Structure formats: C-alpha cells, structure tokens
Amino acid sequence: MPEKRKTPLLPLIVAAIAALVLGVVLLQGGDEQEDSPVDVAPASASAASPESWEQLVRRDADDPMALGEPDAPVVMVAYSEFQCPFCGKFARDTEPVLVEKFVEDGTLRIEWRDFPYLGAESTVAARGGRAAAAQDRFWEFEEAMYADQLPPNSGDLDEDYLVSVAEDIGLDVDRFREDLDSPEAERAVQDDFAEGQAIGVTGTPAFVINGVPVIGAQPTEVFERTIEKAAEEAGR
C-alpha cells in the first residue's frame, strides 16, 4: 500500500476551520438514539477562507477513498468511523442520495477521513478500510460495514470479522490480511485522526463542505442545501 501523503495543516486552517467546529455539540455514539436531534454550526458562522480550505482538501485523482471528480467545485471532507451508529445512518440514508444527485453530475467530491475515536475496534476497522482501499474497493467495504453494523465496542469487530467482510465483497483475502497489518495503514489512519483533532473534530460524523462545517447525521436536506449553496458560490 502506498504511503498516504500528509496534508499540510497550517495554522491558518486551524484558526479558520476549528473556530467553526469547536463549541458545536457532536453526538458521541452508542448511548444516543439515531433519531436524536443533532446540532449544526449556526448559519451566521463564516466559512473558512478559500486559501485555508484548499490546504485541507486533497483532490488526489488516485485516492481510492474519495468519490467524485478531483476538480469538482464542491468538496465534502467527511470525518467518519465504522463503529459510529450515526455514521452508519448517514452512509445508509444520505450518502446514496448525495452520490446520485451531486457526485454523478460532477458537482460534488466526497473525501473520507478516518476518525476512529471510539477505541481499539474503531482503529482496527479503519485499518480494514485502508486494506480494502489498497485493492480499490474501499466504498464497497464501507457499504458492507454499515449495512449490517455492529454495535460500538461489542468485542466482535476484530481482524477475523474484517476478513469475513473482505471475503464477502470478493477481495483478495491474503493481500487484505497483509495490508490490514501494515505500518502504512496504521500511519495513514493516525494521520487522518490527527488532522481531524487539529481542526477541532471531537466526534463523528463531522463534515466540512467547501469550508463550512455540518456536524452529525443531519437530515439529507441539510446536506443538499449546503452543497447547492456552495456550488452556487463556486459558480456552478
């Protein structure tokens, strides 16, 4: 697996984006109900400057953990993890709508970031995502993980479970096992986690859309409006 390029996190990014994300209430997973209300950054908050935003996005055409064109006018950076029930809700209910409506017409690019904050099982699952990405099958892996999602910290989300998911979606299991345990996967996961922490992310899911934060598994309409506004501002 090639080593992930580190994203430069200049102080400008931290100042511009963290100011929006810090202080927002994020859902913390297992003890909440999926239909609980979720706070979103206030409409009066200013977006990060274009310069700082472009330091956060990657636009790597070869990134297997991104969906959409590298030059899409709107980029949604998604800090997610496989144990979070609200990430699962977003992936099942909202992500397919956004892909069909905005990714497929070239408006939106979605860039996944690992944010395994719920513990050791989250970290091993994130490494599983990296191993699937090494075979260019990350999004099939993501869909399978969320389709029949385990409860947080059940004790069942281990390497054997991840291998069973890999086998179900037709991955080369021997290669998957090798990549799952690679130092490159571990380092890439930790780099993403550090990036999220640096801009003030404390839980998942957390999204930054052209510099504007959307926190939690908001209704699909919230994402649609935010993307449409960002596209309009980008001249799309």
Side-chain angles (χ1 to χ4, degrees), residues 172-216:
D172 179 332
V173 172
D174 290 338
R175 181 182 174 192
F176 180 85
R177 286 184 184 274
E178 181 179 346
D179 289 327
L180 179 63
D181 291 329
S182 71
E184 291 85 4
E186 179 70 24
R187 184 163 54 250
V189 169
Q190 292 306 316
D191 283 350
D192 273 7
F193 193 34
E195 176 187 289
Q197 290 175 312
I199 65 167
V201 175
T202 59
T204 58
F207 308 89
V208 189
I209 303 173
N210 277 26
V212 176
V214 176
I215 307 303

Side-chain angles (χ1 to χ4, degrees), residues 19-207:
L20 302 179
V21 181
L22 283 169
V24 177
V25 177
L26 292 114
L27 293 175
Q28 297 297 314
D31 295 334
E32 301 283 352
Q33 297 298 313
E34 284 199 353
D35 58 355
S36 297
V38 186
D39 288 341
V40 67
S44 61
S46 299
S49 71
E51 293 81 7
S52 65
W53 171 241
E54 285 299 330
Q55 291 293 322
L56 184 64
V57 300
R58 296 173 185 169
R59 296 187 182 275
D60 180 357
D62 297 322
D63 184 357
M65 299 173 72
L67 289 173
E69 296 299 324
D71 60 352
V74 182
V75 181
M76 180 171 75
V77 176
Y79 295 91
S80 303
E81 75 128 278
F82 288 113
Q83 287 204 98
C84 169
F86 307 103
C87 297
K89 180 176 176 60
F90 170 82
R92 292 186 298 269
D93 297 348
T94 298
E95 187 176 273
V97 176
L98 302 185
V99 169
E100 181 177 0
K101 186 171 182 179
F102 299 111
V103 174
E104 291 182 359
D105 76 354
T107 299
L108 176 67
R109 177 177 175 84
I110 301 173
E111 295 187 354
W112 172 283
R113 302 287 193 271
D114 288 305
F115 198 80
Y117 78 108
L118 287 175
E121 291 178 66
S122 298
T123 300
V124 73
R127 288 194 284 110
R130 295 284 167 172
Q135 298 185 47
D136 202 25
R137 300 287 295 280
F138 172 79
W139 295 100
E140 291 99 321
F141 180 85
E142 184 233 30
E143 181 178 4
M145 289 288 287
Y146 287 135
D148 189 20
Q149 190 176 19
L150 295 174
N153 298 318
S154 64
D156 295 324
L157 206 172
D158 55 17
E159 291 195 5
D160 288 340
Y161 179 83
L162 297 174
V163 168
S164 73
V165 173
E167 190 171 20
D168 286 345
I169 65 174
L171 296 183
D172 179 332
V173 172
D174 290 338
R175 181 182 174 192
F176 180 85
R177 286 184 184 274
E178 181 179 346
D179 289 327
L180 179 63
D181 291 329
S182 71
E184 291 85 4
E186 179 70 24
R187 184 163 54 250
V189 169
Q190 292 306 316
D191 283 350
D192 273 7
F193 193 34
E195 176 187 289
Q197 290 175 312
I199 65 167
V201 175
T202 59
T204 58
F207 308 89

